Amino acid sequence: MEGRLSRDEIRIHAAEDFAAMHRAGELAARILDEVGPLVAPGVTTGALDDFITRRVEEAGARSATIGYRGYRHASCISVNHVVCHGIPGDKALRDGDILNIDVTVIVDGWFGDTSRMYVAGSLTRRAERLIQVTHDALMKGIEAVRPGATFGDIGHAIQSFVEAHRMSVVRDFCGHGLGRVFHAPPNVLHYGRPGTGPTLEEGMFFTIEPMVNLGRPETKVLADQWTAVTRDKSLSAQFEHSVGVTASGCEIFTLSPAGRFHPTWG
Ligand code: MF3
Ligand code: CO
Ligand code: CO
């Protein structure tokens, strides 16, 4: 693989690699735009995943998750107290359910990874608050991205914002470097202290994907070895973007083409 690694073994990509990441990120984001209108009470998460599988194929791309460590689906769909890695299945959504749909595609060998929140039917006030804080926490993290900042700065921006709203940041899962691989160094923690961790450099590509709980941060993985839930059964939300560090800040590779990243937009 071309290019160089940073002192912390994080790949530094070339200027022309940004365009490739935009193509991969845009496809993942477009598929999340398209699945939105299908989310409704009575619809199964398996039906949503079938649609996503078809859209990936129709785009001439590949799913990064089918066959990944034995995972068999094109998306993870995490409903209510499921924190992440929910397996799509035949359970129907109910009115008021909130869900994260996470899609990763491979386009010309490059990975685009993004997730966002959806609502089946009516949104409760509690869920609305959780979703807003989680979305805004991701954007606070992204605002901290620039050369010379550290990964601890990103984690601190997210954690301090979430805790100011009396919610908690999940510690058991993190963001990750990506590019021509799905999961690469570094671990992008969504908590931390300013000035700690590796220093960001232009050309680094990674995800930021905070999971926020209304209750305590602890999680457990169910017997299926994938589904992570909150230990206290409290509601959980997550948003994820793939970004690249530029000279002045960052570019978001997974912006919603339709402007529908947040469930109350468009
Ligand atoms: N897309 C997830 C992430 O944000 C990873 C899902 S791996 C799977 O890193 F196998 F569960 F699909
Ligand atoms: Co990710
Ligand atoms: Co993801």
Side-chain angles (χ1 to χ4, degrees), residues 137-138 140-145 149-163 169-171 174-175 187-198 200 206-210 212:
L138 168 61
K140 296 277 178 200
I142 290 174
E143 282 168 25
V145 176
T150 71
F151 281 93
D153 294 340
I154 297 173
H156 177 76
I158 293 167
Q159 180 183 16
S160 57
F161 179 80
V162 168
E163 292 178 354
V169 173
V170 169
R171 315 293 206 262
C174 56
N187 286 334
V188 180
L189 306 183
H190 304 113
Y191 58 94
R193 282 178 294 120
T196 63
L200 278 67
F206 53 88
T207 73
I208 307 179
E209 48 183 299
V212 175

Side-chain angles (χ1 to χ4, degrees), residues 187-228:
N187 286 334
V188 180
L189 306 183
H190 304 113
Y191 58 94
R193 282 178 294 120
T196 63
T199 299
L200 278 67
E201 293 179 42
E202 186 176 353
M204 289 181 177
F205 297 164
F206 53 88
T207 73
I208 307 179
E209 48 183 299
M211 286 139 275
V212 175
N213 299 346
L214 274 183
R216 298 210 30 95
E218 291 81 12
T219 70
K220 68 176 179 195
V221 175
L222 301 185
D224 62 26
Q225 303 286 335
W226 283 105
T227 312

